[in-house]
Amino acid sequence: MEKIEGLVIRTRDYGETHKIVTLWTREKGKITVMARGAKKPSSRMSSVTQPFIYGNYLIYIGSGMGSMSQGETVDSFRSVREDILKAGYASFACELADKLVEEKEPDPFLFEQLLTTLTYIDEGRDPEIVTMMFELKIYRKAGFAPVLSRCINCGNSEGPFSFSVAEGGYLCNRCKHVDPDRYELSERFSSLLPLLAEMDLKRLGNISMKKENKEKLRQLLDRYYEQYGGYFLKSRKFLKQMDKFY
């Protein structure tokens, strides 16, 4: 038995009374455990195995699937679960972690980035900006982050740059002919993107972005993920539907 601090990023029903819970932990990385009886409303495990719960768990880890015997909530991110839009962005961040991070590969920095993302969403910061910052970091963990420090074609580090989905990063003016479908970027926008990718979310102050810039970045990231991500994201589809109402 081990006491582990973790964040519930996914749950699945198993049988009539049990749950399979995916936790992202600082010490063990992503792990999947069985929580027996957690579907019963009267069970003490019911509340601590809800999505987005950050808690301390008593886990048995064997050669196969582990099991959860106890849990204690540290933070429930209450305003996230009470607001459908906040919950949508939190689900997107958690689904990215679930789909793109391998089991049992600890990454304390990325764990803190996800925890900070949910904290910021809970506090009322712009959920679109903070989730896109987390998204760029998890692309790097998954091995398909765009090159944003230089021209991917010639290595030139002097802007201005355009963004090429097909080439996987920035193209300078001399090389932009390589991709006719590139995204033309302003100098300010092209300097902002690597900052969003590299900045530790815990150091983030108050940040705002023009609506048209957020829309452009979202479109760019969506196309990039479609090219390289490989997994369908239900939460992203939900957020696209929600865009029609907000």
Side-chain angles (χ1 to χ4, degrees):
M1 284 288 183
E2 295 186 51
K3 189 174 184 180
I4 292 177
E5 181 184 325
L7 183 66
V8 178
I9 60 172
R10 185 186 181 199
T11 64
R12 288 172 287 159
D13 292 342
Y14 185 81
E16 294 184 2
T17 59
H18 312 315
K19 283 184 187 178
I20 296 174
V21 181
T22 302
L23 291 169
W24 201 3
T25 74
R26 183 181 284 105
E27 301 91 351
K28 301 290 183 181
K30 188 176 75 173
I31 58 173
T32 303
V33 296
M34 177 75 72
R36 298 189 180 279
K39 278 183 66 180
K40 296 178 181 178
S42 59
S43 170
R44 290 181 298 175
M45 301 292 289
S46 176
S47 62
V48 295
T49 54
Q50 298 294 321
F52 319 137
I53 291 292
Y54 172 46
N56 290 311
Y57 299 94
L58 197 59
I59 304 291
Y60 171 76
I61 300 177
S63 56
M65 183 183 295
S67 61
M68 179 187 297
S69 61
Q70 291 180 35
E72 180 182 15
T73 299
V74 175
D75 197 330
S76 66
F77 300 111
R78 183 175 176 180
S79 82
V80 170
R81 59 187 65 254
E82 291 177 349
D83 184 298
I84 190 169
L85 190 60
K86 287 183 178 183
Y89 280 104
S91 295
F92 177 53
C94 288
E95 190 175 8
L96 281 169
D98 184 44
K99 289 289 202 306
L100 299 181
V101 176
E102 295 293 331
E103 290 258 344
K104 299 178 181 177
E105 286 189 5
D107 190 324
F109 173 75
L110 207 53
F111 171 80
E112 288 291 346
Q113 297 302 287
L114 178 58
L115 189 58
T116 303
T117 297
L118 265 62
T119 299
Y120 285 169
I121 295 172
D122 190 56
E123 292 172 353
R125 298 210 198 186
D126 189 317
E128 195 166 8
I129 293 175
V130 296
T131 51
M132 286 191 289
M133 290 178 69
F134 176 71
E135 185 176 357
L136 283 163
K137 291 168 180 58
I138 209 161
Y139 285 1
R140 183 171 56 206
K141 176 70 174 178
F144 60 87
V147 174
L148 303 173
S149 60
R150 55 180 171 79
C151 174
I152 197 166
N153 193 54
C154 73
N156 176 28
S157 59
E158 296 296 322
F161 295 107
S162 53
F163 186 91
S164 169
V165 172
E167 297 298 317
Y170 278 173
L171 291 172
C172 68
N173 272 347
R174 288 179 302 189
C175 299
K176 63 182 184 180
H177 65 277
V178 171
D179 182 9
D181 296 322
R182 66 192 178 273
Y183 285 83
E184 294 291 349
L185 307 177
S186 68
E187 193 166 343
R188 185 174 181 183
F189 191 92
S190 65
S191 63
L192 176 65
L193 193 48
L195 184 66
L196 295 176
E198 296 298 328
M199 179 184 284
D200 184 340
L201 275 157
K202 295 174 88 171
R203 295 177 51 210
L204 183 67
N206 293 323
I207 187 170
S208 62
M209 194 184 296
K210 291 180 180 178
K211 184 180 179 183
E212 56 266 31
N213 284 339
K214 282 199 292 186
E215 289 174 351
K216 186 171 189 173
L217 180 54
R218 184 66 266 160
Q219 183 186 22
L220 184 156
L221 289 178
D222 282 347
R223 276 198 59 202
Y224 191 83
Y225 183 82
E226 286 167 11
Q227 180 91 359
Y228 301 105
Y231 295 96
F232 174 71
L233 299 172
K234 290 190 293 184
S235 54
R236 184 69 208 125
K237 182 180 179 182
F238 171 78
L239 287 172
K240 284 182 179 179
Q241 293 170 339
M242 291 299 293
D243 284 343
K244 300 173 185 177
F245 301 99
Y246 285 87

